[in-house]
Every structure is written in structure tokens, then in C-alpha cells.
């Protein structure tokens, strides 16, 4: 530290130190001159003799300044300036290298930008470091830890008793609400939040105001709302006069209090269109028990730490209060877990996204490695062309390390330029990918922050060292004698380093291309998966009767009358209802108890998926009954169930389950066993599943089968529910759309992998072309002599192609082995396709070899077209 302080002091007064040093050297020179004059030499003789004895004063000055900090900085700056001038003189090389590094760094920075927005970036609220998510910790019988919210009564207890939190707020994710203004009809997503939600988070309205705690009284709910900026633009045309006006939600008037700023998009990955007080649930869903029942879970809870309180203190206090509340409400006592205020808040959610993010980071890292190998080959070629310059500098006394530092400075210049261009790419690429792949707009802030900039700087420096260090050592290891004679660096034979880098590019590219091939094959396989029921001619109709205050009796009556009308349409062969639509990205889970199978419960294997359906549901989907019988009209009102083969195998292996019972909330009698069907997720393992009869549910949907294919106009179907109740706005969806939605993840993975694979192929081809062109240029003399001695063009062409393709084939063999090893990580998206699938590997290898052959052929053909007389005359 003391030495650093001295150097900083010298830097501050560097002009004075320079003058003192010059004066001291001149003093010693004069002393020596005076001694020589006293010995009898004349004044000119003594001056020259003193200079000779002092040696090179300029070198001595440089040596003395070498211990000062600013000298190193000046040298570094000189190296940068020299390097930039050299890069400016070779614009083609510079542009190629910078673009290559920009692509490699840019895709890495783009991925980190998305990762940063989900995991590290805090909500855009006041002092986000003092805001925390509050979760209860649940441990399953199998020991798995899950993080949940809490019931509204539990939240109210914590909010009223906490002293360590300056404020505690709750949020409930409401389903889409219908905007039913005259002349305007649309569906808006909604968040129900505590009255002081915006005050605690520190978010002010851009126009108007937010609501207050007084407007969130359960006894006197107020119909008020606050719009998001996106909804204000898309739904109301940026009309500032919307504040104070009334809009209709589900035919109920709500007053718009304000519009939020554009930068606040909510506290979840998907931002809502509007916020209303939690008490407004009693206006939009009068029959909901969410705000009164301690058994109904859950509301999400957030809070702001009180001044001078840390998270551990707040957690301990909230845990103590929660345990008291649990005892009061006869609920399990759980610990409290506090998280950061980010989009992906819980370790549970982070655990879900981490495997996919890890795969993506590995993929983009391969792209960066290919880019670095490409630039390293370019630097090797440039170094070979600079052999004479480097030889002269070494001969004049420059140290090898000094020249290596100069070459690394040039590589660092390329890396920083590539990083700057990569930042530009990351400004557009994440938004472009998410807009084209996400089902709905995500509330992610993708603007680069200091973490993204530091990450890019780190990648730029890392890439500079990765692509510049080895070529710098290789270039400076030269034979001075041969170089000064002018024969150094003339060998056009591919060096082991260049061939290794070329082979590595081919291997890395094949790993990415093979992954793309496997994902595409998996997508093709998924499109042909038999879900266990006939998907042709199926139309799903969602009604959302719960939002219109339908109770079970009214819903059952409405569904019965609607079913009769739909059944009368021409071409309709069957109509039934289900709470969960097949392949609808939703499921209901419960635990069951079976006599004699208590061990399953201890191991957490008694959880099953279920659905509430009407008689005829299995016939509508054409799911065969393998044992027992299907539901009949006389079963209505009875507690009977049909289980699938997976559930029969788990709870009654080798036995006939028909006539046996199991207990969920009540005891059910098994009347039949159906064939396994993938009703929840396509291409996943079949889960134990049972069907029970619905007693009328406001969330039921119609499942309609048309004869063979659906050809009826949608308007006919849409009109039928409205004829029964004008408030009902049905939504129709073909079963094929549900299947496509199920394949969204696989399609997204294929798209991203395909883009990275094509990028890797492009970089590899550019690298192969560049190396081949360089080698050909270095071997012009040899080729000219060969052709003068009688070699034909095809001989030259075969010679160059064979040498390069041997390297490509060797790299491809390594790439095939690596891609087979890496493919197992993609098993989740392969839908039964083997990671060793020969079609995918052979096809991608053939594409790579064809592209490599083309990249080699073009410069080789140019070499085979040279005139030997012209080359030999030049020599």
C-alpha cells in the first residue's frame, strides 16, 4: 500500500520527477567530464568520453522511469495507440475479427441480460434492497421443500402484529376479467392487492393516484382500479382523461383512479393490465371465500423492512407470529422465508429455470469458443505475415515479453471493440427472441445495467486472452537468423496449432448442430405422439361462469341447457363437460388413502391427479374402458370414480380395482378402469389419474366432438351461450391449438438451438475459409513449382482439399463423440427420441461436412487456377 501511494504521488508530480531525473543524470555526466578533463583530456574529448562511459542515457532514463507508475501507463497507452493504428491499416482483418467476437460476446451478453432480469434485477420500486418476499416453508413427506404464500387471515394476523416490518402487503393473482364497456370488449389480467400495496413498495402513479388502505375494507369494498401503462396505451389509446372515468368489468362499474409509470410492470414475470384492492374480490367474485377462509391458500405476501431491522430479525418475528396464527386457525405451523425483490423470488422457481439456463449458457459458451478459435487463427495468420517486423524488433533488443505484451494489447483492443458491438446486439436480441417466443408479454426489464456491463467487460477480456495469448507466444517464437534472411514464416504447411484450432471449431459446431437436429426430431416426434384419445374434431369452449357470479346450481342448469343446444348442431356427435380441459396446461392434485397401501403415503406416492367431468366425457374423447364400466346418468350424485391404468397399477397391482374404494376428501367407489391418456402434459410419463362426476362447477368447460373434423362456423358455436345469457362471452379453442401450446417449450428450444447452430456453422465456415485462403496464399510458390513440373489443376485441387478435409473429418469425429455425450441433457425435450438418434447425428454431420467442403473448395480452386509462369517470375 505504501508503494502504491508513492507511485501515485510520483504520478501526480511526474513533470517534476522527470526534470529531477534529467538533472541528476546530467550532473553525473558533468562530474565524469570534469574528472576526464582533470586527467588531461580536452573539453570535446572529455565530453564524448563521459557520454560513452555513461552509456545510453535514453535507455538509462527509461530504466529509471520503469519503477514509476505513470511510465507503465504511458507504455500501455502507446501500445494501445500502436495497436489501433495497425488495426486501422488492416480494415478487412479488423472488421472480420471484431464481428466474429461481437457475435460470440453478443449472444452471451444477450442471455445474461435475460438471466439478470429474472434473477438479479430488483423490482423498480423505492429502495428495493429493503423489500422482501415473505413465504412459508413446507416440507413434503418425501422431504422436499416447497415455498408457498399464506391464507388471507394468516396474512392479516402477520400484518397487524409485526413490528419489524414497516409494511406488509398481499397480492392475489386473479384470472382474466372481461372488459364489457359498450363498444369495447376484451379480456384484462388483474392483480388484487392490499390497499397500501403501492405505498409500501414506493410506487407513485404517473397520472391520477393509487388507492389507499381505506379503499380496501372488506366490509365496504370499493370498485376502483389502477391501470398499467401498457393497458393504458393498448386499451385506452393513451387517453389521459381516462382517470376518473368508469369502465365496466364483468358488467360492474369500476372507477379508474390512475395510471402507473411505464417502468413499473408488477411483481411477477407477467405484468397485469390493472390492479384493484383485495376487497374488490367481493364485488367481482361475491361467492369467493378467499378473504375469509384460513383453509384457502394462498395470497403472495411482500413487505418492507423497518429501519435498522435486518432480514434475520424480521424472519424470526414473522415465524413466531405465524406459529401463533397457525395454532389459532388450526393450520400447520411453518417457518418464514424472506427472499429478494426479484422476478424469480423463491429457490423453488430458481431451481426450475436453472437447468434450462445452464444448458443455454453452455450453448452460447460454445459459440464464444468457436469465435475465439476463429480469431486466434486469424491472429496466427497475421502473426506469420509480421514475422519480419517482429524479427527486426527482437534483433534491435526488444524483449520477447515486451512484444507479447504488445500483441496482447492488440488482442485486447479487438476484444473491447467486439464487446462494445456485443452490447449493441444485446440491446435488441433478447427483446426480439422473447417477443417471438413468449406466449404473453413478459414484465422483464431488459435494459443493460452495471452487472451486464461488467459481465460483458469480463467476457471481452477473457476472449482477448483466449484468442490472443497462444498466437502471441507462437508468433514471437521465431528463428531470428532465418527471419532476417527473409525466409522466416514462408512455410505454408498448416501448423499443428492452426489445425487444432480448426478442428476445435468443427467439433464445437457439430455439438450445437447435433443438438438442433435432435430437438427438431423430438418436435417431429411430439407432433405424432398418441395422447391416448382421439384429438380430431374436438373443440373446447371456456365460459368463465364463476366471474358472472354463477353458483353450482345455476352453472349446472346453464351447462345442461347449453349442452342440449350444442348437441343439436349438425355434425356434433358428442358433448360433455370437464373442470380441467384435456391438454389445458392445468391440473388438480390431491392425496388419496387406500387400505393396505399406507406405505405409499409415507413415501409421498399417494398424490394423484383428478378431474371432475360429466357422464359421457370419456366417450367424447374416445378413451376406452378396459375394466368395469363408464359413467351413467344414474351415477349422478353418487361418489363413484373411474381410474386410469397407472392408478390401478400403483394402488392395486395385479388385482381388479373395480368395486374397491379410495378416500380423498370423501370415499369413492371405483366403477371402471380407463386406458392411460396424457391429459395433462404431452409426452410425459403417465400419472395416476381418476375421474369423478361433477355436481356443477362454474369453472366447467364444454368438450365438443364433431364428426371426424371440425368444419362448422365458429360463429354458430359462439352465439349459443350468448343466447342463453348475454353476459357470457365464450372462448373457443381447437384441440390442435392445445397440442401446439403443449409443444411451445420444445419449439422454443428448437428455435434457439437452431439459431445458435446456424451461427456456429457460419463461424466455422468463415474460419475454414480464412485458414484455407491463408495457407493457399503462403503456398503459391510451391504450387507454381508443382504445376511447372507437370502437376495438373485437379492434382493441386485434390492436394489442398485432402489436407484440409482431413482436419475437418478429425474435428467432426471428436464433435460426434461430444454431441452424443451432451445430448442426454436434452432428454426432456426429445419426446422419446434417443440421444443417439442416428438420423439427427448423420444429417447434421453431413451438413457440416458439406459446408466445410464448400469453404475449402473456393480458395483451393483459386490456387489451382494460378499461372505458374507468373508466380515463378515474381519469385
Amino acid at each position: 500500500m505504501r508503494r502504491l501511494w508513492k507511485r501515485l504521488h510520483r504520478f501526480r508530480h511526474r513533470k517534476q520527477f522527470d526534470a529531477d531525473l534529467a538533472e541528476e543524470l546530467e550532473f553525473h555526466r558533468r562530474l565524469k567530464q570534469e574528472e576526464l578533463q582533470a586527467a588531461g583530456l580536452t573539453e570535446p574529448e572529455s565530453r564524448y568520453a563521459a557520454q560513452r562511459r555513461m552509456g545510453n542515457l535514453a535507455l538509462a532514463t527509461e530504466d529509471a522511469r520503469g519503477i514509476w507508475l505513470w511510465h507503465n501507463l504511458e507504455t500501455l497507452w502507446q501500445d494501445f495507440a500502436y495497436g489501433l493504428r495497425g488495426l486501422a491499416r488492416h480494415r478487412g482483418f479488423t472488421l472480420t475479427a471484431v464481428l466474429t467476437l461481437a457475435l460470440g460476446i453478443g449472444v452471451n451478453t444477450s442471455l445474461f441480460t435475460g438471466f439478470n432480469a429474472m434473477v438479479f434485477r430488483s423490482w423498480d420500486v423505492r429502495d428495493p434492497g429493503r423489500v422482501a418476499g415473505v413465504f412459508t416453508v413446507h416440507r413434503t413427506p418425501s422431504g422436499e421443500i416447497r415455498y408457498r404464500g399464506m391464507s388471507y387471515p394468516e396474512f392479516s394476523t402477520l400484518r397487524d402484529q409485526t413490528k419489524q416490518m414497516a409494511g406488509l402487503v398481499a397480492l392475489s393473482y386473479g384470472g382474466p376479467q372481461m372488459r364489457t364497456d359498450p363498444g369495447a370488449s376484451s379480456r384484462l389480467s388483474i392483480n388484487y392487492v392490499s390497499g397500501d400495496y403501492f405505498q409500501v413498495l414506493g410506487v407513485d402513479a404517473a397520472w391520477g393516484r393509487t388507492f389507499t388502505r381505506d379503499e380496501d375494507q372488506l366490509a365496504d369494498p370499493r370498485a376502483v382500479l389502477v391501470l398499467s401503462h401498457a393497458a393504458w396505451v393498448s386499451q385506452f389509446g393513451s387517453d389521459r382523461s381516462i382517470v376518473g372515468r368508469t369502465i365496466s368489468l364483468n358488467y360492474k362499474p369500476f372507477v379508474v383512479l390512475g395510471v402507473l409509470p411505464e417502468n413499473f410492470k408488477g411483481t411477477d414475470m407477467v405484468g397485469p393490465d390493472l390492479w384493484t384492492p383485495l376487497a374488490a374480490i367481493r364485488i367481482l367474485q361475491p361467492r369467493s371465500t378467499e378473504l375469509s377462509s384460513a383453509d384457502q391458500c394462498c395470497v403472495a405476501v411482500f413487505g418492507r423492512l423497518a429501519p435498522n431491522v435486518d432480514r434475520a430479525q424480521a424472519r424470526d418475528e414473522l415465524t413466531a407470529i405465524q406459529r401463533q396464527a397457525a395454532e389459532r386457525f388450526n393450520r400447520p405451523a411453518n417457518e418464514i422465508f424472506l427472499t429478494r425483490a426479484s422476478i424469480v423470488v423463491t429457490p423453488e422457481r430458481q431451481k426450475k429455470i436453472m437447468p434450462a439456463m445452464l444448458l443455454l449458457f453452455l450453448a452460447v459458451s460454445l459459440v464464444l469458443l468457436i469465435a475465439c478459435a476463429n480469431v486466434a487463427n486469424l491472429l496466427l495468420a497475421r502473426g506469420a505475415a509480421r514475422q519480419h517486423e517482429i524479427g527486426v524488433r527482437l534483433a534491435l533488443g526488444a524483449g520477447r515479453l515486451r512484444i507479447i505484451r504488445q500483441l496482447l494489447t492488440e488482442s485486447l483492443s479487438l476484444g473491447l471493440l467486439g464487446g462494445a458491438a456485443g452490447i449493441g446486439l444485446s440491446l435488441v436480441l433478447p427483446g426480439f427472441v422473447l417477443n417471438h417466443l413468449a406466449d404473453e408479454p413478459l414484465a422483464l426489464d431488459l435494459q443493460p445495467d452495471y452487472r451486464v456491463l461488467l459481465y460483458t467487460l469480463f467476457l471481452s477480456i477473457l476472449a482477448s486472452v483466449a484468442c490472443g495469448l497462444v498466437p502471441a507466444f507462437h508468433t514471437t517464437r521465431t528463428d531470428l537468423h532465418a527471419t532476417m534472411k527473409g525466409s522466416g514464416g514462408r512455410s505454408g504447411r498448416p501448423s499443428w496449432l492452426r489445425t487444432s484450432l480448426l478442428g476445435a471449431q468443427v467439433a464445437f459446431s457439430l455439438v450445437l448442430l447435433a443438438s438442433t437436429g435432435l430437438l427438431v426430431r423430438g418436435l417431429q416426434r411430439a407432433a405424432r405422439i398418441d395422447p391416448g384419445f382421439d384429438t380430431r374434431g374436438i373443440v373446447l369452449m371456456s365460459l368463465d361462469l364463476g366471474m358472472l357470479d354463477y353458483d353450482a346450481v345455476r352453472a349446472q342448469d346453464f351447462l345442461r341447457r347449453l349442452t342440449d343446444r350444442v348437441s343439436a348442431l349438425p355434425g356434433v356427435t358428442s358433448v360433455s363437460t370437464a373442470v380441467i380441459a384435456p391438454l389445458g396446461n392445468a391440473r388438480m392434485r390431491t392425496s388419496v388413502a387406500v387400505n393396505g397401501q399406507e406405505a405409499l403415503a409415507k413415501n409421498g406416492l399417494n398424490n394423484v391427479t383428478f378431474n371432475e367431468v360429466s357422464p359421457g366425457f370419456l366417450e367424447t374423447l374416445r378413451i376406452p374402458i378396459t375394466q368395469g364400466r363408464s359413467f351413467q346418468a344414474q351415477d349422478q350424485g353418487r361418489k363413484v370414480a373411474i381410474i386410469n391404468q397407472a392408478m390401478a397399477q400403483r394402488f392395486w397391482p395385479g388385482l381388479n380395482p373395480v368395486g374397491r374404494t379410495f378416500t380423498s376428501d370423501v370415499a369413492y367407489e371405483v366403477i371402471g378402469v380407463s386406458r392411460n391418456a396424457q391429459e395433462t402434459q404431452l409426452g410425459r410419463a403417465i400419472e395416476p389419474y381418476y375421474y369423478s362426476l361433477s355436481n356443477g362447477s362454474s369453472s366447467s368447460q364444454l368438450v365438443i366432438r364433431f364428426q371426424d373434423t371440425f368444419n362448422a362456423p365458429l360463429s354458430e358455436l359462439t352465439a349459443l351461450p350468448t343466447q342463453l345469457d348475454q353476459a357470457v362471452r365464450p372462448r373457443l379453442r381447437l384441440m390442435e391449438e392445445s397440442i401446439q401450446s403443449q409443444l411451445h417449450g420444445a419449439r422454443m428450444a428448437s428455435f434457439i438451438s437452431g439459431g445458435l447452430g446456424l451461427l456456429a456453422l457460419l463461424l466455422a465456415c468463415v474460419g475454414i475459409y480464412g485458414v484455407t485462403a491463408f495457407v493457399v496464399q503462403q503456398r503459391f510458390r510451391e504450387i507454381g513449382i508443382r504445376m511447372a513440373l507437370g502437376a495438373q489443376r485437379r492434382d493441386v485441387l485434390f492436394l489442398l482439399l485432402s489436407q484440409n478435409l482431413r482436419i475437418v473429418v478429425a474435428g467432426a469425429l471428436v464433435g460426434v463423440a461430444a454431441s452424443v455425450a451432451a445430448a442426454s441433457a436434452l432428454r426432456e425435450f426429445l419426446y422419446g427420441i434417443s440421444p443417439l438418434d442416428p438420423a439427427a447425428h448423420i444429417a447434421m454431420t453431413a451438413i457440416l461436412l458439406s459446408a466445410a467442403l464448400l469453404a475449402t473448395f473456393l480458395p483451393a480452386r483459386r490456387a489451382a487456377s494460378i499461372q505458374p509462369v507468373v508466380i515463378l517470375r515474381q519469385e
Side-chain angles (χ1 to χ4, degrees):
M1 193 67 193
R2 189 174 177 182
R3 179 182 296 178
L4 178 62
W5 175 253
K6 284 184 176 179
R7 290 189 171 191
L8 290 174
H9 175 73
R10 287 168 182 162
F11 177 72
R12 185 179 178 186
H13 303 283
R14 57 187 180 280
K15 290 184 179 179
Q16 181 62 44
F17 275 90
D18 274 341
D20 292 346
L21 177 61
E23 183 181 350
E24 185 174 350
L25 289 175
E26 178 62 19
F27 171 74
H28 286 291
R29 191 196 65 78
R30 285 181 179 176
L31 280 181
K32 184 62 66 179
Q33 183 178 351
E34 290 172 1
E35 289 177 4
L36 293 173
Q37 280 183 316
L41 295 181
T42 63
E43 192 274 337
E45 290 174 343
S46 61
R47 183 170 66 251
Y48 294 135
Q51 287 179 347
R52 286 196 299 273
R53 293 191 181 186
M54 289 289 292
N56 190 334
L57 286 180
L59 184 60
T61 304
E62 289 298 312
D63 291 340
R65 295 176 68 197
I67 64 171
W68 299 343
L69 176 64
W70 78 81
H71 175 71
N72 293 329
L73 294 177
E74 285 177 350
T75 305
L76 184 62
W77 174 249
Q78 289 170 359
D79 286 348
F80 264 116
Y82 179 81
L84 289 174
R85 285 197 299 271
L87 294 177
R89 284 195 298 272
H90 301 85
R91 295 175 186 171
F93 161 81
T94 305
L95 184 62
T96 305
V98 169
L99 283 179
T100 302
L101 288 176
L103 291 173
I105 296 173
V107 293
N108 277 271
T109 303
S110 299
L111 177 61
F112 184 78
T113 299
F115 183 72
N116 176 57
M118 286 190 289
V119 178
F120 296 129
R121 197 151 198 158
S122 301
W123 305 330
D124 202 343
V125 299
R126 174 172 49 84
D127 193 9
R130 302 292 296 171
V131 178
V134 182
F135 293 86
T136 55
V137 182
H138 298 253
R139 286 180 171 78
T140 64
S142 59
E144 186 180 358
I145 296 178
R146 293 177 179 172
Y147 300 88
R148 297 286 182 269
M150 60 190 73
S151 68
Y152 183 80
E154 288 177 292
F155 155 74
S156 298
T157 304
L158 265 65
R159 179 191 60 190
D160 296 340
Q161 297 185 18
T162 181
K163 305 295 183 190
Q164 305 292 342
M165 304 293 289
L168 211 58
V169 296
L171 180 150
S172 178
Y173 302 99
Q177 305 294 306
M178 289 185 293
R179 180 188 169 200
T180 51
D181 292 337
S185 178
S186 57
R187 306 182 75 81
L188 302 175
S189 58
I190 186 171
N191 276 182
Y192 302 102
V193 295
S194 304
D196 53 352
Y197 173 80
F198 296 107
Q199 286 77 18
V200 169
L201 293 182
V203 177
D204 298 323
W207 291 279
R209 65 175 178 86
T210 59
F211 37 77
T212 64
R213 195 165 175 174
D214 293 337
E215 291 166 322
D216 184 32
Q217 300 299 320
L218 299 186
D220 182 23
R222 307 286 179 84
V224 294
L225 63 86
V226 174
L227 289 172
S228 70
H229 185 275
W232 174 63
V233 172
S234 62
Q235 298 288 325
F236 303 97
S238 305
D239 181 8
R240 295 195 180 193
S241 66
I242 188 64
V243 176
R245 282 165 46 189
T246 299
I247 67 171
S248 180
L249 293 180
N250 298 347
Y251 298 96
K252 298 182 173 87
F254 274 70
V255 177
V256 180
L257 296 181
V259 178
L260 292 179
E262 184 177 5
N263 55 2
F264 182 75
K265 299 173 182 175
T267 51
D268 201 2
M269 190 170 291
V270 180
D273 293 314
L274 55 91
W275 288 261
T276 68
L278 268 167
I281 292 178
R282 294 191 167 178
I283 299 174
L284 291 171
Q285 303 175 37
R287 299 182 186 281
S288 172
T289 58
E290 182 175 358
L291 302 181
S292 57
S293 173
D295 295 327
Q296 188 162 347
C297 186
C298 297
V299 292
V301 179
F302 311 105
R304 180 175 291 279
L305 298 172
N308 303 319
V309 173
D310 60 29
R311 290 173 183 268
Q313 293 173 312
R315 183 198 58 210
D316 294 342
E317 185 210 42
L318 292 174
T319 298
I321 299 173
Q322 197 279 336
R323 286 175 175 165
Q324 295 173 7
E327 185 177 354
R328 175 184 166 195
F329 297 118
N330 195 24
R331 300 281 301 163
N334 299 298
E335 293 181 4
I336 294 293
F337 181 75
L338 300 184
T339 66
R340 293 178 62 251
S342 61
I343 294 297
V344 181
V345 288
T346 64
E348 198 174 0
R349 294 182 72 174
Q350 290 183 6
K351 187 178 177 183
K352 286 183 180 178
I353 69 165
M354 282 305 171
M357 295 304 296
L358 180 60
L359 283 178
L360 286 173
F361 271 114
L362 288 175
V364 296
S365 297
L366 284 181
V367 174
L368 182 59
L369 285 175
I370 295 170
C372 288
N374 214 334
V375 175
N377 253 333
L378 291 175
L379 289 172
L380 280 174
R382 188 164 182 258
R386 296 173 66 183
Q387 285 291 299
H388 184 71
E389 171 201 341
I390 293 172
V392 169
R393 294 178 66 182
L394 289 171
L396 290 176
R400 188 184 175 198
L401 290 180
R402 179 69 184 84
I403 295 178
I404 288 174
R405 193 177 75 175
Q406 166 65 44
L407 294 176
L408 282 179
T409 306
E410 293 179 12
S411 302
L412 183 60
S413 302
L414 290 174
L416 293 177
L417 290 172
I423 283 285
L425 181 63
S426 70
L427 290 174
V428 295
L429 188 59
F432 173 81
V433 172
L434 289 179
N435 288 337
H436 284 77
L437 296 183
D439 284 336
E440 47 194 343
L442 301 180
L444 296 178
D445 187 352
L446 297 174
Q447 293 300 313
D449 59 6
Y450 75 93
R451 281 180 289 266
V452 174
L453 296 179
L454 286 177
Y455 181 77
T456 307
L457 179 62
F458 168 74
L459 279 186
S460 302
I461 296 174
L462 185 66
S464 303
V465 174
C467 68
L469 186 62
V470 174
F473 275 97
H474 183 79
T475 301
T476 54
R477 193 174 57 194
T478 182
D479 183 352
L480 272 182
H481 181 70
T483 300
M484 298 311 294
K485 286 177 64 179
S487 59
R490 295 296 301 274
S491 174
R493 299 285 180 182
S495 71
W496 66 269
L497 186 55
R498 278 200 293 270
T499 56
S500 300
L501 290 172
L502 192 62
Q505 288 183 64
V506 173
F508 294 152
S509 302
L510 192 54
V511 171
L512 290 173
L513 284 172
S515 300
T516 303
L518 287 171
L519 290 170
V520 171
R521 289 271 297 156
L523 194 59
Q524 293 173 340
R525 169 79 171 78
R528 298 193 300 270
I529 285 179
D530 178 12
F533 58 89
D534 189 356
T535 62
R536 293 172 300 175
I538 293 286
V539 178
L540 305 172
M541 178 186 287
S542 302
L543 299 165
D544 296 328
L545 299 178
M547 293 194 302
L548 300 174
D549 201 20
Y550 271 65
D551 59 15
V553 175
R554 280 187 66 201
Q556 191 169 23
D557 177 66
F558 182 89
L559 292 171
R560 180 183 54 75
R561 289 188 292 149
L562 180 60
T563 299
D564 293 341
R565 293 200 177 199
V566 173
S567 300
L569 285 177
V572 174
T573 60
S574 179
V575 182
S576 57
T577 66
V579 173
I580 302 296
L583 300 179
N585 285 325
R587 64 178 180 176
M588 295 188 293
R589 299 270 291 170
T590 186
S591 57
V592 299
V594 177
N595 288 335
Q597 297 292 349
E598 289 75 13
L600 293 175
K602 292 180 181 177
N603 296 323
L605 297 176
N606 63 330
N607 292 320
V608 300
T609 308
F610 70 101
N611 200 354
E612 296 178 1
V613 301
S614 66
F617 174 78
L618 296 175
E619 287 76 10
T620 301
L621 293 185
R622 295 177 181 168
I623 299 176
I625 299 294
T626 59
Q627 289 177 282
R629 63 176 176 83
S630 184
F631 292 121
Q632 297 174 357
Q634 57 268 28
D635 292 325
Q636 200 71 47
R638 295 178 58 200
K639 296 299 180 184
V640 293
I642 295 175
I643 64 175
N644 69 350
Q645 292 171 318
M647 184 168 174
Q649 181 62 30
R650 175 170 295 185
F651 292 96
W652 297 281
L655 301 176
N656 183 0
V658 176
R660 301 177 186 271
T661 60
F662 66 88
T663 303
S664 178
D665 51 343
V666 297
Y668 287 92
E669 177 190 353
V670 178
I671 63 170
V673 178
S674 67
R675 198 179 73 176
N676 287 333
Q678 294 179 324
E679 286 202 40
T680 305
Q681 276 192 303
L682 200 62
R684 298 293 183 264
I686 300 292
E687 299 176 320
Y689 201 104
Y690 78 83
Y691 308 89
S692 63
L693 287 173
S694 172
N695 293 321
S697 171
S698 58
S699 57
S700 290
Q701 306 178 50
L702 256 64
V703 183
I704 308 163
R705 175 172 290 284
F706 284 78
Q707 190 169 13
D708 294 333
T709 57
F710 174 69
N711 295 318
L714 291 177
S715 57
E716 289 186 32
L717 270 177
T718 308
L720 291 179
T722 309
Q723 292 171 5
L724 296 175
D725 185 344
Q726 291 187 347
V728 176
R729 306 293 175 90
R731 286 178 297 152
L732 299 182
R733 185 177 54 178
L734 305 181
M735 181 56 73
E736 284 75 13
E737 294 175 356
S738 297
I739 293 175
Q740 292 304 315
S741 176
Q742 290 274 319
L743 300 179
H744 179 75
R747 193 178 301 109
M748 188 164 66
S750 300
F751 179 85
I752 294 175
S753 177
L756 293 176
L758 286 176
L759 181 59
L761 181 63
L762 174 66
L763 291 175
C765 288
V766 170
I768 293 169
Y769 178 87
V771 169
T772 307
F774 170 76
V775 170
V776 164
Q777 188 177 12
Q778 296 295 303
R779 299 180 68 179
F780 268 178
R781 181 171 178 270
E782 173 198 341
I783 294 170
I785 294 174
R786 283 176 180 270
M787 296 184 73
L789 293 176
Q792 300 297 314
R793 289 184 176 179
R794 63 174 180 274
D795 299 328
V796 174
L797 196 61
F798 177 77
L799 173 69
L800 296 174
L801 287 177
S802 60
Q803 285 184 349
N804 231 21
L805 287 181
R806 277 201 295 269
I807 303 169
V808 172
V809 171
L813 291 175
V814 175
V816 168
S819 59
V820 168
S824 58
L826 303 173
R827 196 180 294 274
E828 182 183 356
F829 301 102
L830 298 185
Y831 293 96
I833 292 290
S834 169
L836 304 177
D837 181 58
H841 289 284
I842 291 174
M844 292 299 113
T845 304
I847 290 174
L848 179 65
L849 291 179
S850 301
L853 179 62
L854 180 62
T856 305
F857 176 75
L858 294 177
R861 187 184 63 172
R862 186 165 65 90
S865 303
I866 62 174
Q867 295 297 327
V869 175
V870 176
I871 296 298
L872 294 177
R873 186 181 297 159
Q874 290 175 354
E875 293 292 328

